[in-house]
Amino acid sequence: MTKYIRRAAAFCALLLVALLVNASRVQVVDSGTYDDNPANRRQAITRFDQPRGDILVDGRAVTGSRDTGEQLRHERTYRNGPLYAPVTGFASQVYGTTFLEHAEDDVLSGTDPMLAPLPLWNDITRAQNPGGKVVTTIKAAVQQAAHAGLGGKKGAVAALDPATGEVLALVSTPSYDPERLSGTSTAVTDAWAELNADPDKPMLNRALSQTYPPGSTFKVVTAAAALDAGGIDDLDAPTESPDPYTLPGTSTSLANEVEGCADASLRYAFQWSCNTVFAKLGVDTGQDALAGTAKKFGFDTPGLKIPSPVATSTFDTSMDDAQLALSAIGQYDTRATPLQMAMVSAAVAGGGSVKAPHLVDRTTTDDGDTVASSGTETLRQAMNPGTAVQLRELMTDVVEEGTGANAAIDGVTVGGKTGTAQHGIGNTGTPYAWFIAWAQKPGDAEASVAVAVVVEDAAADRSDISGGGSAAPIAKAVMEAALSGG
């Protein structure tokens, strides 16, 4: 009898071991498979069981959470939702997350292991930490100035600190209230359908996700390439540029909107935006040199994140000379995001150095303890420091004596470049108005702000659209807000 009891006990022990092994397999080895199974709602229930961490601007939360008492308990709320939507994005129980809500989701949802009190603590206990906080570099006054400047127009503004790469403002209009996408009611699905059907595309982040022909603002890049290559060694020397200029290999003539561009100096051509001078300068400089300089500024460099992803700005590298001439003045296939053009302006202001733009200053626990912080990072040197000095001089002339007079600020050194970008079949589309600029206070060692503005207002008369008329006043307001302390 004892023999049978021993066998039964051994068999029961074997079953117990098998049970423990299987439980370990389910709980540890295959846990990810079960967690990610669409039929398993426990992960979603847990995710929304606690308030989401906040996104902060100037130390104040621009997000919040509302306890609904429902199964997916906490819904996201937003303060000044349309103003900060290009920064925060949305966090929806139905449609997921975008922009900072997506890029910093682990911190905000409390799933980032760095939020745990001890290493591997959450893996062992299966506990969930309170959502952390994301402290942005955005300055509320600068953001508000950009949003108010654009008003009801379609367009975007990106503003940077040239010395650090901090993003001071990121605005896209028309905008939307991301709180409309919080929750699971039919109102959420109706809002989603309405926003996606809107021809004005309010959910499109024009500052980060939309590329435009940069028009004459690209002449900063063309001038940098020519000066670095030694094609121009005297800003005031005649350039031997005909007016009009016949595009190489074609019978097409390129003209100017202003007088005095024939054989104009680089200074005059930059100041008054002579297309003929810069088209010829692009051809003379050569495709390789121009494309190389554009790449140093950030064109044709995919993968930029701030931490939200940024669309790649492009400069074609397989063109004939006629196409190269048009590309040199920011037309043909040249495309840029407003953030990219703010980086171009910041590089000129910063001695030719391209700083990595970043939107997050630091992330913290819910108690405010720092989890991770961002520092200044130099991506590359876009041009020689001496070339940057010359371009600062040229951009200052644009504001003090040329097409950018509407951006002038009393007592402040301001450099800028206007642009009017043609687009559409046969250039029949309403031109985009561009302005890029930087501003430096008297006595400061370096500029405090660099900005890019694009306005694509289909309601405006074609003749009324120009970078100096439509975009420069917006840039001025943004720079004034930044200079006043943000």
Side-chain angles (χ1 to χ4, degrees), residues 411-439:
V412 175
T413 301
V414 178
K417 184 69 191 79
T418 54
T420 304
Q422 308 290 339
H423 70 102
I425 299 174
N427 290 334
T428 56
T430 304
Y432 299 136
W434 276 94
F435 193 75
I436 64 173
W438 50 265

Side-chain angles (χ1 to χ4, degrees), residues 324-341:
L324 177 60
L326 294 175
S327 295
I329 59 172
Q331 297 289 165
Y332 186 54
D333 283 342
T334 306
R335 307 282 295 189
T337 62
L339 180 67
Q340 174 61 67
M341 295 315 296

Side-chain angles (χ1 to χ4, degrees), residues 242-257:
D243 181 12
Y245 171 62
T246 302
L247 297 180
T250 75
S251 58
T252 302
S253 292
L254 184 67
N256 299 290
E257 299 293 332

Side-chain angles (χ1 to χ4, degrees), residues 40-50 70-73 128:
N40 181 12
R41 287 181 54 82
R42 294 180 65 86
Q43 192 171 9
I45 293 170
T46 301
R47 175 183 177 85
F48 295 104
D49 191 48
Q50 66 178 16
E70 299 177 357
Q71 190 177 63
L72 301 183
R73 184 171 172 180
Q128 185 175 12

Side-chain angles (χ1 to χ4, degrees), residues 77-101:
T77 61
Y78 295 88
R79 181 172 63 87
N80 292 333
L83 174 63
Y84 292 110
V87 176
T88 63
F90 62 76
S92 169
Q93 284 95 330
V94 180
Y95 299 109
T97 54
T98 57
F99 299 114
L100 272 189
E101 293 277 28

Side-chain angles (χ1 to χ4, degrees), residues 256-418:
N256 299 290
E257 299 293 332
V258 295
E259 300 294 330
C261 290
D263 299 326
S265 67
L266 184 62
R267 186 186 303 277
Y268 184 92
F270 196 93
Q271 184 177 329
W272 296 104
S273 207
C274 296
N275 287 331
T276 53
V277 174
F278 279 91
K280 181 176 183 295
L281 188 61
V283 174
D284 292 345
T285 302
Q287 183 167 245
D288 290 344
L290 194 50
T293 298
K295 190 174 183 66
K296 290 176 184 177
F297 275 104
F299 287 78
D300 297 313
T301 307
L304 179 64
K305 295 182 179 180
I306 64 168
S308 303
V310 181
T312 303
S313 299
T314 57
F315 182 84
D316 202 336
T317 56
S318 56
M319 300 177 283
D320 60 31
D321 282 349
Q323 294 163 341
L324 177 60
L326 294 175
S327 295
I329 59 172
Q331 297 289 165
Y332 186 54
D333 283 342
T334 306
R335 307 282 295 189
T337 62
L339 180 67
Q340 174 61 67
M341 295 315 296
M343 291 169 65
V344 169
S345 183
V348 174
S353 175
V354 179
K355 299 296 191 295
H358 57 277
L359 185 56
V360 175
D361 177 64
R362 64 188 185 279
T363 55
T364 74
T365 64
D366 66 318
D367 293 329
D369 296 329
T370 298
V371 173
S373 58
S374 302
T376 301
E377 178 188 356
T378 300
L379 294 178
R380 61 190 73 86
Q381 188 73 20
M383 67 195 110
N384 295 326
T387 295
V389 171
Q390 291 176 298
L391 279 171
R392 281 175 59 95
E393 184 179 334
L394 293 176
M395 292 182 75
T396 302
D397 287 345
V398 168
V399 175
E400 293 181 351
E401 303 176 29
T403 58
N406 284 335
I409 302 173
D410 289 342
V412 175
T413 301
V414 178
K417 184 69 191 79
T418 54

